[in-house]
Every structure is written in C-alpha cells, then in structure tokens.
C-alpha cells in the first residue's frame, strides 16, 4: 500500500467522512507502528483522558496503551466518581476538562451522536477540545472499524470485491454500522445474516441479507457480532432468546468452520459469547482473527490519536 501523507483531523468521531486515501494512510501508519516504526517525538506534553460511560475492556485498555506508547500524559477519569453523577452534562464536563488543561477526550457514551454538541458548539459556547469516539450507543465505532479494516488488509492486501458477511445482532451494533459503510466505500461486497428481527431493510443499500448456510463456503470474511442483551430492553425477542438455538441457526460451529474456504477469516469485536456466536473451541482456531484484532487495535488507535494530535498541532507536531 503506497501512502505518503499523514492523516490530520481536529476530532475523530466517525468513519463516514474518511476518504479511501485516508483509510489507506491510517492502515499504513498503524502497520508502521506495528513494525516498530519510530514514534513521533512530542516536544510539549499532550494531556488525554479516557471517559468511558459504558463498560469496556479492550477499547479502553488499548486506547490507554496507545496513548502511553505515543508519550501522551494520561489523566484518569472515572465516570462513577465524576460530577456527571451529580447531573453535570457531558458538555459541561468537557468544558471542565478543557479548563484544567486536557487536550483530548476519548469518549464512549450510550447516546448516539453524543459528540455533536462537543465538536459543533452553539453560539456563545467556546468548547474546543479534541474528541475521539470510542463508541456512541448504536451509532458508530470508528476505532473498531479501522482495526477491522487493518486485519482484513493484512490477510488479503486489498478490499475490492472481497466478500464480507456481517452476522448477528445488526440493528443494535455500532460495529456493524461503521463496518458496512466503510466496506462499501472500499469496494467490498457486503452480505448480512443472522436473525431477521435484528436486521432492518434500511441496510439493504450496503449489502444483501442471506441465510447463513448460503454464505459460509463463499465468504472471504465472516464478521460475527455479539448478541447485545444490554440493548434489548423492551425487545420481545429477548424474552424468547435461547442461546443453544441461536448457536445452531446463526453461530459458527465446527461443521460451518470446515465448510469455509482455507483463507477465510472469522472476526469478532469481542466480548465473545462463547458457544453462542462462535463455538468456544474455535475462538483461537487458525481461521479466527479475534486475538489479532485486539493486537491491531493498539496500533490503529495510535494512528488515530496521532491524526488528532497533528490535526490540533499538539505536542509540537503539525
Ligand atoms: C463492541 C462495542 O462495544 O461496540 N466491543 C468492542 O468495543 N470491542 C462490540 C460489543 O460490545 O459487542
């Protein structure tokens, strides 16, 4: 992959506005970091805080590792002990962070597009802080999406006409939203599968819905999604959910694994419901890229953070 320019952004909230060239540049930069390329030299401190209002293991930890590898100063933020518990808004919390000298906020929040009010302040508002979206409700998950693209690129070296199936709880998944949009833009052929009640025809613009067994032996990438029980309040299908039945109908078991092409890769953003989306004994099988995705996550997040550090001319970088 040939790239010369580094991406610069004032905030990184979505993959929607990224060009193909920017995606390629971010993948190249993440691979450069993965191959021990020299890290940018900060001549002034850059302060970052990770504000996770939803649970996270992978994303939170790998953002923090990425920040430390880049030499940023990480200031702890614990939502359960913050003034948001006293009713302070996210806007006012961000104003506080800016006032005390934080340059960048990495935020995960249950509300879709929570970031809009932070990056587009109204008249008489003066917030100007870098925001990196670590997942908004069922909206977008740009860092997961880009680390997924890096993982696919490492296997196939390109995206054009690759057949990628996104399987599972699609309506509730921000990973699915970001990935279907970007895969489309990169020229991959997207397919969907899983329970029809967790699919919406509005996604038809990105790909075709098919039965899982029609897809298994034809796909290059099988991207599995977690059944997101915490987002199913009021959903009648939640009460009837049966893990064993889900696994039989929509999960990858040994038989389906064996039917896949030799170079097909299986992906999952984690956390995996073992024995539901994927048979437990297949989690570390040769076709499965679950661990590789987590490893790539650190390097892709380094590339994303660097893009905002440069975009805001922080740390003496431009
Ligand atoms: C995903 C998320 O939070 O959207 N997890 C992650 O960031 N690796 C997917 C999920 O929780 O199912």
């Amino acid at each position: 992959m040939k790239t010369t320019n580094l991406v610069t952004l004032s905030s990184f909230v979505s993959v929607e506005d990224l060009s193909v060239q920017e995606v390629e540049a971010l993948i190249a930069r993440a691979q450069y970091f993965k191959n021990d390329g020299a890290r940018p030299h900060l001549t002034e401190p850059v302060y970052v805080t990770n504000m996770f209002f939803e649970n996270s293991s992978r994303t939170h930890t790998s953002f923090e590792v990425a920040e430390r590898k880049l030499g940023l100063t990480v200031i702890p933020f614990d939502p359960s002990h913050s003034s948001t518990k006293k009713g302070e808004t996210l806007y006012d919390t961000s104003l506080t962070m800016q006032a005390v000298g934080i340059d960048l906020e990495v935020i995960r929040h249950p509300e879709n597009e929570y970031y809009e009010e932070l990056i587009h302040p109204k008249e008489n508002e003066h917030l100007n802080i870098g925001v990196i979206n670590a997942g908004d409700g069922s909206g977008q998950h740009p860092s997961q999406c880009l680390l997924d693209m890096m993982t696919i690129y490492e296997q196939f070296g390109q995206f054009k006409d690759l057949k990628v199936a996104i399987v599972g709880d699609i309506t509730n998944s921000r990973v699915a939203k970001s990935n279907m949009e970007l895969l489309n833009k990169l020229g991959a052929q997207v397919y969907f599968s899983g329970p029809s009640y967790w699919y919406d025809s509005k996604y038809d613009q990105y790909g075709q819905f098919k039965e899982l067994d029609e897809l298994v032996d034809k796909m290059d990438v099988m991207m599995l999604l977690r059944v997101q029980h915490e987002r199913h309040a009021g959903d009648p299908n939640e009460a009837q959910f049966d893990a064993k039945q889900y696994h039989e109908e929509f999960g990858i078991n040994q038989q389906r694994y064996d039917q896949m092409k030799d170079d097909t890769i299986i992906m999952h953003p984690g956390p995996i419901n073992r024995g539901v989306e994927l048979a437990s004994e297949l989690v570390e099988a040769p076709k499965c890229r679950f661990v590789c995705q987590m490893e790539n996550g650190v390097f892709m997040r380094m590339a994303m953070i660097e893009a905002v550090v440069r975009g805001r001319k922080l740390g003496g970088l431009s």
Side-chain angles (χ1 to χ4, degrees):
M1 189 181 282
K2 254 182 67 199
T3 38
T4 42
N5 295 335
L6 293 176
V7 175
T8 56
L9 291 168
S10 59
S11 281
F12 208 137
V13 294
S14 153
V15 291
E16 259 168 47
D17 299 327
L18 291 180
S19 65
V20 171
Q21 290 72 21
E22 284 174 317
V23 174
E24 289 177 350
L26 286 162
I27 293 174
R29 193 65 175 161
Q31 288 188 316
Y32 167 85
F33 287 134
K34 188 173 180 175
N35 296 325
D36 287 328
R39 295 164 197 170
H41 177 63
L42 304 183
T43 54
E44 294 155 27
V46 178
Y47 291 96
V48 60
T49 189
N50 299 306
M51 303 160 70
F52 278 65
F53 297 93
E54 274 188 356
N55 295 345
S56 172
S57 296
R58 264 154 294 274
T59 307
H60 192 165
T61 314
S62 67
F63 261 115
E64 186 157 339
V65 173
E67 290 154 5
R68 288 177 189 276
K69 279 183 185 261
L70 286 173
L72 274 63
T73 306
V74 184
I75 304 298
F77 180 92
D78 174 3
S80 63
H81 290 96
S82 75
S83 284
T84 54
K85 285 281 169 199
K86 300 179 189 170
E88 188 168 54
T89 62
L90 185 59
Y91 182 90
D92 286 346
T93 303
S94 299
L95 207 52
T96 309
M97 295 302 136
Q98 176 175 305
V100 302
I102 301 288
D103 300 298
L104 297 177
E105 295 178 321
V106 175
I107 306 179
R108 169 170 287 189
H109 199 277
E111 208 178 294
N112 285 24
E113 296 183 15
Y114 69 80
Y115 48 79
E116 283 297 333
E117 63 166 358
L118 307 181
I119 59 171
H120 300 301
K122 297 191 206 74
E123 215 185 322
N124 300 325
E125 292 181 342
H126 302 103
L127 184 66
N128 182 9
I129 195 164
V131 178
I132 300 179
N133 181 14
D136 60 301
S138 58
Q140 290 269 337
H141 198 339
S143 64
Q144 181 69 43
C145 174
L146 288 164
L147 75 87
D148 287 348
M149 296 309 122
M150 177 180 177
T151 307
I152 294 173
Y153 184 82
E154 280 183 349
Q155 176 78 11
F156 298 102
Q158 53 104 31
F159 297 95
K160 185 99 189 65
D161 295 329
L162 277 186
K163 293 185 168 63
V164 183
I166 303 179
V167 182
D169 186 357
I170 295 168
T171 41
N172 293 294
S173 172
R174 51 194 173 209
V175 178
K177 308 289 159 40
S178 292
N179 280 350
M180 68 178 82
E181 278 177 22
L182 198 56
L183 283 164
N184 231 257
K185 196 183 275 186
L186 293 169
Q189 292 175 26
V190 178
Y191 296 85
F192 299 107
S193 195
S196 55
Y197 44 82
W198 288 331
Y199 182 75
D200 192 304
S201 55
K202 69 183 177 202
Y203 307 133
D204 289 353
Q205 59 177 307
Y206 298 107
Q208 273 179 282
F209 187 94
K210 288 192 183 280
E211 291 302 319
L212 185 58
D213 286 318
E214 280 185 62
L215 297 176
V216 172
D217 59 346
K218 301 181 187 67
M219 294 297 106
D220 299 301
V221 180
M222 293 292 291
M223 194 178 270
L224 311 179
L225 301 172
R226 183 174 63 91
V227 179
Q228 297 174 77
H229 296 288
E230 75 279 17
R231 297 193 199 282
H232 292 169
D235 179 346
N237 301 298
E238 176 64 20
Q240 280 150 35
F241 182 79
D242 181 283
K244 198 161 168 277
Q245 195 186 337
Y246 183 97
H247 186 59
E248 266 165 37
E249 279 186 63
F250 311 115
I252 299 302
N253 52 23
Q254 188 69 55
Q255 197 190 344
R256 289 188 175 122
Y257 182 95
D258 293 339
Q259 283 166 8
M260 289 175 193
K261 297 190 288 182
D262 288 344
D263 67 346
T264 296
I265 58 170
I266 302 169
M267 298 171 64
H268 193 302
I272 298 178
N273 291 309
R274 284 178 180 253
V276 182
E277 299 98 41
L278 181 63
S280 186
E281 60 278 14
L282 295 177
V283 169
E284 295 174 64
K287 291 175 189 170
C288 194
R289 292 293 179 276
F290 176 56
V291 176
C292 174
Q293 286 171 272
M294 295 187 284
E295 287 166 359
N296 285 345
V298 170
F299 303 108
M300 181 48 79
R301 289 178 174 114
M302 287 173 76
M304 293 173 68
I305 294 164
E306 185 197 22
V308 181
V309 168
R310 286 187 189 278
R312 301 186 80 81
K313 300 193 180 355
L314 299 168
L317 299 185
S318 54

